[in-house]
Amino acid sequence: MTAVLKKELSYYFKSITAYFMAAALITVCGILFYLRTVYYAEQSMLASSMPPGTAPKLNFNSAILASLPATVSFVMIFFVIPATTMHVFAEEKKNGTLEMLFTYPFTEFDLIAGKYIGSILAILPGAALTALFPIFLLKYMPGMDLGYLAAGYTGIILACLAGTAIGIWASSLTSSQILACSITILTFLILWLIGGSADLMDGIGREFLNAVSFSSNLETFTKGTIELPAVVYFIGLTLFFLYLTYYNLTSRKWRG
């Protein structure tokens, strides 16, 4: 596994892939965070000039700290993860080196684990750096609830773990990186939109759709809470897609 992990990290960090994705993520999320913060400041100044009892109640924690993890997660899921993981197995298939890897003295589990961990280590640093945005404001917002931030970024980590598993599964299906990227985005979109479909149903159907929805489970973290069912959901999703990847590789090996 160590050899595969080193090879994967070398691919990411000796090329511009990891740096470009991190820079794009930080830039997009930074701009959105800045715009939300400026808007909040303007609304706070407007509220302070209103007569007592008429001003709207503004909460920095729910207005800003809750929105940042949601934004970071969305950008990671639909842009960073698909673009980062699309090469993992698709490139090996295209170059004809996947079969050669099967002859090396490590198992399919080692191969998947090395590539998966390497992808995670390339993806998470960019997300972690976005946490610096609100930390820079601690001096000006002494009432900032860092619990919102901690819960939100716990959700981001879990979403990235599950998302990366989906990405490498999609990459194991094809030799085309573009197709792998498209399958990843489509899978995310289906899991994301399930939450919106839940609003059209009642009772058990609604509860079930919310339970299997990526967006609904992620929302619990962006609200500043860490709930066990949501944690189990993301861990279960990660293990499920890693198993599908393992199944795809072992099936290809025996067919070969």
Side-chain angles (χ1 to χ4, degrees), residues 65-67 69-70 73 147-156 158-159 192 210-234:
L65 291 190
S67 64
S73 299
Y148 260 93
L149 205 60
Y153 276 82
T154 299
I156 289 173
L158 290 171
W192 193 275
N210 278 326
V212 298
S213 165
F214 203 102
S215 55
S216 297
N217 282 283
L218 185 60
E219 189 178 4
T220 64
F221 295 98
T222 59
K223 288 181 177 178
T225 59
I226 298 177
E227 298 181 4
L228 182 59
V231 174
V232 172
Y233 169 81
F234 284 112

Side-chain angles (χ1 to χ4, degrees), residues 102 108 246-256:
F102 290 147
E108 288 81 3
Y246 177 81
Y247 177 81
N248 286 341
L249 292 183
T250 52
S251 298
R252 180 184 176 88
K253 177 182 178 180
W254 288 115
R255 286 198 305 268

Side-chain angles (χ1 to χ4, degrees), residues 31-45:
I31 291 172
L32 294 176
F33 181 79
Y34 170 77
L35 293 175
R36 285 196 182 99
T37 304
V38 169
Y39 177 77
Y40 177 84
E42 291 174 348
Q43 292 300 306
S44 298
M45 292 178 63

Side-chain angles (χ1 to χ4, degrees), residues 9-54:
L9 290 176
S10 175
Y11 172 88
Y12 286 120
F13 293 105
K14 285 186 177 180
S15 66
I16 65 169
T17 303
Y19 306 103
F20 176 79
M21 289 300 166
L25 175 69
I26 292 168
T27 301
V28 171
C29 294
I31 291 172
L32 294 176
F33 181 79
Y34 170 77
L35 293 175
R36 285 196 182 99
T37 304
V38 169
Y39 177 77
Y40 177 84
E42 291 174 348
Q43 292 300 306
S44 298
M45 292 178 63
L46 183 62
S48 64
S49 64
M50 293 181 179
T54 62

